[in-house]
Amino acid sequence: MIWKIALRNIIKNARRSITTALAIGIGGLAALLFGGFVTSIWYGVQTSMIQEQGNLQIYRNGYLEFGAANPDAYTIQNWDQVAALLAADAMLAENLSVITPRIDLAGVAGNAETGNSKTFIGTGIVPSEVDQMRGWDGWSIGQTGTVTGLAAGGSDSVIVGLGMARMMGMCEALAVPNCQDAPIVEEDLTGEEQDFSALVEEEGGLGDQGAGASKPQLNVMAATSAGVPNIARVGIEAAQAQSVRAIDNSFVMMHFEQARSLLYGDSQEATALMLQVVDPAMVDAVKTRVVEVLNGAGLDLSVYHLTEVDPTFDRIFGMFSFIFVVVAIVLSIVIVFTIVNTISMTIVERVKEIGTIRALGFRKGFVRALFLTESTLIGVIGAAVALGGAIIVSNMVNAAGLQWTPPSNATPLTVQLMVLDNPIFAAAVVGTLIAIAFAAAVLPTFKAARLNIVESLQRA
Amino acid sequence: MNTLNDPQSFAYDQTAGPILSAAAEPAVSFENLSKTYRMDRIEVPALRGVSGQIERADTTFIKGPSGSGKSTLLNLLGLLDRPTGGQLTILGEDVTRLSDRAAADFRAQHIGFVFQGFNLIPVLSVRENVEFPLLNRKMSAAARKDRAMEYLDAVGLSEFVDRRPGEISGGQRQRVAIARALVSEPSLVIADEPTANLDTKTSREIVDLMDRVRTELNTSVVICTHDTDLITPDSSVIHIIDGQTAKE
């Protein structure tokens, strides 16, 4: 009967009920859509990073803490044997799709044609394996990365950042649109630059090597682990924008073997091993198993989750989560005031009814239950509006194919408002809306229940 | 169909109904009952030591001019308000200082109300309004419905059960209110100006109906009214003037 009275009063005061339900619905709609966007960030950005770096990374103990100062002292020795060890484990073989090495390096790059040179930061990867990683879509969100572009070129080909291409004066040679080459350096080479040039000649001029010979050439020089400068002439396969300008201005991606031979000669060393897990739900179990295998072999290595190595994801997700919380609080306040106003008006209009109910022998709790039920029902209607609206709007936005570029990415991601992809979140929003509708009515209903019966009955 | 002209006895459940017996004490007795309202810092006495009693299965009229305190006395007898002083006993129980919850439970069990303005719940149908007080009882929905139909039948409204209060006449609404007051089979029915909003003919019918209820259900009825035409010579009357009982 309480539900019947509540529902009929909602219908009786249709305009007010609709206004209140719409306030709840629009607030909930905003929360669900923004939450759906944050959910897509959670999946999308993480997928991008896993495509680039794998779910797990193995480093030599101490690398993350001290490796930046002396990277050569913290390399993984005989990385190929470590990879083979992991691949031989049945559990890991089943759950890992890729085990691939990476070398991080830095040095000086120069364009002999233009006389431009500058420092570079680079990475050496196995293109075919990284390309495989970029096809990962563990959460089935339909997001696959682009291939590196290195696999098509020869072993001496590289990819450079757009800024690097510009500063090396290679925009025209690489046919990069909207890119202006740096001025050609006319002065005579002196000092260190002369030494760099001399070193190239000392290396036999390096010549035009392999498949890279037909491409714009770049000389890259880095110090070997013994501290001796080593140099290679590489062909630039393409220029690709990087996410951060400072990196874009210095970026060189090369073949792992090229980087390894440049730094370590014949020694099988790598900065890190990147592991990509087939099923993201298995990451923790895989990490545990990798630790067991490495410790079992007595290796001085550590395994890190992606977010431990690169805090970008946590920061991006944290930022949007914080914004969501602020928005949710503001929306909640608006909803609370709307409901308090609605229920208070309802109570004022029904004072005589309250007095009658109390006179008929119903306790205060019944009066409270009556109005709380009404408020909760409005909350349910509002939540249904929010959920239905969110599904419709999210489908429209998703179909529109809007794009945005997260701070961690060089390439844009398609906006996907994942409203129902996180059912726990959607259920939490719906539940919270109903809970707010209930809670907001508590104070007015307690006041209603405390009304003096005689005075209530005398109300016109 | 049962109407006022063709009355059918109320199917009264003797085991669950009024707790009075023929040899019992008065249904209600009040001794030196007083009520003072406080308005800001001014105390306004509404009742000044009123005493009296209401016999079992009797109809008692409370009459008096406006502002005399008759409604205040009625509110005290119905446990809608607490006296400032004196003692009130209903069905042998001292109810002078009952807690709010205990008073609510007592009203639910033993007291029925008929209001001047009918006070029906507008969103409920006629049958649902009559059924409403039974929510306080441990009864199945079907049993509640049957009981409500029984009382609506007795007040001659079985054809209007699905209508809303706004869709029936004033007299019919008051009959619904009477059915609602009786459906929980109380020992005491309190009616505050039940005919004030009705024409003379309907008023007489309502009073006759309540009188029949009193007879058939063995229920004590207290009617507060300033319409002396309703009071029959054999009725018990409590006359209130200036917050005190006046000699008849």
Side-chain angles (χ1 to χ4, degrees):
Chain A
M1 187 78 84
I2 283 183
W3 289 97
K4 201 179 283 184
I5 295 172
L7 188 60
R8 288 180 187 172
N9 273 303
I10 287 172
I11 294 168
K12 182 184 172 192
N13 300 309
R15 187 178 297 176
R16 186 195 304 155
S17 303
I18 288 170
T19 305
T20 309
L22 276 180
I24 296 171
I26 291 170
L29 172 70
L32 282 168
L33 292 180
F34 193 67
F37 181 60
V38 175
T39 302
S40 83
I41 290 170
W42 194 92
Y43 286 113
V45 173
Q46 213 171 184
T47 294
S48 289
M49 295 178 72
I50 291 169
Q51 288 171 347
E52 200 64 33
Q53 304 177 51
N55 310 73
L56 300 170
Q57 294 183 25
I58 297 174
Y59 289 90
R60 183 145 165 206
N61 281 335
Y63 178 85
L64 293 186
E65 294 84 2
F66 314 112
N70 187 9
D72 293 332
Y74 291 95
T75 57
I76 299 174
Q77 306 288 326
N78 299 314
W79 70 268
D80 50 339
Q81 292 177 27
V82 176
L85 182 69
L86 298 175
D89 184 85
M91 188 273 190
L92 297 179
E94 186 182 340
N95 286 287
L96 288 175
S97 52
V98 178
I99 304 172
T100 188
R102 193 190 73 230
I103 285 178
D104 298 334
L105 71 163
V108 178
N111 180 357
E113 298 290 324
T114 62
N116 292 310
S117 65
K118 77 178 292 296
T119 56
F120 76 91
I121 51 173
T123 181
I125 51 122
V126 179
S128 60
E129 292 174 351
V130 170
D131 285 346
Q132 186 186 340
M133 288 214 303
R134 290 187 176 187
W136 186 87
D137 188 19
W139 285 292
S140 302
I141 60 172
Q143 177 184 315
T144 51
T146 54
V147 295
T148 58
L150 266 186
S155 61
D156 60 342
S157 58
V158 298
I159 303 288
V160 296
L162 279 181
M164 185 68 170
R166 186 167 54 244
M167 291 182 198
M168 289 294 102
M170 292 175 161
C171 290
E172 191 177 336
L174 291 168
V176 181
N178 304 318
C179 178
Q180 185 181 357
D181 282 332
I184 294 173
V185 177
E186 301 287 357
E187 305 95 297
D188 291 336
L189 295 175
T190 56
E192 289 180 2
E193 294 171 71
Q194 209 167 33
D195 291 342
F196 183 26
S197 181
L199 186 58
V200 172
E201 295 306 319
E202 190 180 300
E203 292 283 333
L206 296 177
D208 291 343
Q209 300 173 350
S214 60
K215 299 169 185 131
Q217 300 289 297
L218 191 68
N219 297 323
V220 289
M221 184 182 72
T224 66
S225 56
V228 178
N230 197 5
I231 192 162
R233 175 168 290 171
V234 293
I236 301 178
E237 187 71 24
Q240 296 173 357
Q242 304 302 307
S243 57
V244 179
R245 179 180 287 271
I247 294 175
D248 191 54
N249 288 340
S250 308
F251 183 73
V252 176
M253 179 199 286
M254 62 182 67
H255 286 258
F256 175 78
E257 282 302 318
Q258 177 80 277
R260 190 187 60 75
S261 62
L262 191 64
L263 296 185
Y264 308 117
D266 294 331
S267 179
Q268 293 296 326
E269 296 181 44
T271 305
L273 278 177
M274 300 186 288
L275 312 181
Q276 196 170 57
V277 181
V278 178
D279 179 1
M282 291 295 292
V283 168
D284 289 338
V286 169
K287 183 182 178 186
T288 303
R289 184 60 191 152
V290 171
V291 169
E292 289 172 358
V293 170
L294 297 178
N295 289 345
L299 296 171
D300 184 28
L301 301 173
S302 295
V303 190
Y304 297 94
H305 192 275
L306 171 65
T307 53
E308 294 176 277
V309 178
D310 186 348
T312 308
F313 169 74
D314 282 343
R315 288 174 183 169
I316 293 173
F317 189 64
M319 179 183 74
F320 280 104
S321 298
F322 181 76
I323 294 171
F324 174 81
V325 169
V326 171
V327 170
I329 289 172
V330 172
L331 291 173
S332 299
I333 291 170
V334 172
I335 291 172
V336 164
F337 276 102
T338 306
I339 292 169
V340 167
N341 183 50
T342 297
I343 294 299
S344 296
M345 285 178 69
T346 303
I347 288 169
V348 166
E349 289 172 359
R350 289 162 63 188
V351 166
K352 194 169 188 175
E353 183 179 321
I354 293 168
T356 304
I357 289 170
R358 294 280 286 128
L360 293 178
F362 289 90
R363 294 177 180 176
K364 290 176 179 174
F366 185 90
V367 174
R368 287 195 291 266
L370 191 63
F371 290 100
L372 285 174
T373 302
E374 195 166 320
S375 181
T376 305
L377 262 181
I378 292 174
V380 169
I381 295 167
V385 169
L387 192 59
I391 291 170
I392 293 168
V393 174
S394 63
N395 281 330
M396 291 167 64
V397 171
N398 294 347
L402 304 176
Q403 292 193 318
W404 79 294
T405 306
S408 62
N409 280 33
T411 52
L413 299 179
T414 302
V415 173
Q416 289 291 313
L417 301 178
M418 305 171 80
V419 173
L420 293 181
D421 296 83
N422 187 352
I424 294 174
F425 170 76
V429 170
V430 167
T432 302
L433 289 173
I434 296 170
I436 289 174
F438 177 88
V442 167
L443 191 61
T445 54
F446 268 73
K447 285 183 177 175
R450 283 200 302 268
L451 285 171
N452 180 282
I453 300 174
V454 173
E455 290 175 8
S456 301
L457 289 170
Q458 287 169 347
R459 195 71 67 90
Chain B
M1 184 183 74
N2 299 296
T3 66
L4 288 173
N5 298 326
D6 180 21
Q8 172 187 295
S9 294
F10 289 91
Y12 180 64
D13 181 357
Q14 293 292 346
T15 59
I19 59 175
L20 289 176
S21 66
E25 54 197 317
V28 181
S29 66
F30 45 98
E31 196 70 39
N32 206 23
L33 215 51
S34 63
K35 177 69 183 178
T36 301
Y37 292 106
R38 188 182 294 272
M39 302 175 78
D40 294 328
R41 292 182 178 178
I42 304 167
E43 291 190 341
V44 181
L47 282 182
R48 310 162 191 249
V50 176
S51 300
Q53 61 183 41
I54 292 159
E55 298 300 329
R56 180 185 64 83
D58 190 17
T59 297
T60 302
F61 287 90
I62 300 176
K63 70 170 188 177
S66 295
S68 60
K70 58 184 187 300
S71 289
T72 302
L73 176 60
L74 204 67
N75 291 333
L76 295 181
L77 298 183
L79 302 188
L80 301 179
D81 207 352
R82 282 187 186 177
T84 312
Q87 187 176 25
L88 173 64
T89 304
I90 302 178
L91 307 175
E93 185 177 339
D94 184 353
V95 295
T96 317
R97 297 279 176 262
L98 285 184
S99 68
D100 184 85
R101 173 177 284 210
D105 292 346
F106 194 93
R107 288 195 300 272
Q109 290 297 317
H110 303 299
I111 304 176
F113 288 91
V114 179
F115 302 99
Q116 175 181 343
F118 323 126
N119 291 24
L120 300 176
I121 297 174
V123 296
L124 294 181
S125 69
V126 164
R127 177 182 59 74
E128 289 164 343
N129 262 288
V130 176
E131 199 181 322
F132 189 72
L134 299 177
L135 293 175
N136 260 331
R137 303 287 174 87
K138 289 180 180 174
M139 294 175 74
S140 67
R144 285 201 307 265
K145 185 177 177 182
D146 288 346
R147 176 86 74 90
M149 289 302 296
E150 187 180 311
Y151 279 84
L152 279 168
D153 199 28
V155 297
L157 287 176
S158 53
E159 288 182 358
F160 302 94
V161 292
D162 292 325
R163 293 202 187 171
R164 297 281 176 88
E167 298 169 346
I168 56 178
S169 70
Q172 288 169 328
R173 280 184 228 174
Q174 197 57 297
R175 280 195 274 170
V176 175
I178 290 169
R180 182 181 65 181
L182 298 174
V183 76
S184 54
E185 298 174 346
S187 302
L188 178 65
V189 171
I190 288 180
D192 186 9
E193 303 277 9
T195 60
N197 291 336
L198 304 175
D199 58 48
T200 308
K201 178 172 174 288
T202 311
S203 297
R204 190 70 255 170
E205 287 177 353
I206 291 298
V207 172
D208 287 346
L209 173 63
M210 296 186 74
D211 203 42
R212 182 165 61 81
V213 164
R214 174 187 64 80
T215 308
E216 296 187 3
L217 297 185
N218 214 27
T219 300
S220 304
V221 177
V222 182
I223 301 175
C224 177
T225 183
H226 57 259
D227 184 357
T228 51
D229 292 343
L230 298 175
I231 303 171
T232 54
D234 57 335
S235 301
S236 302
V237 177
I238 297 172
H239 193 178
I240 305 284
I241 296 176
D242 292 336
Q244 293 177 308
T245 44
K247 299 271 185 186
E248 280 297 300

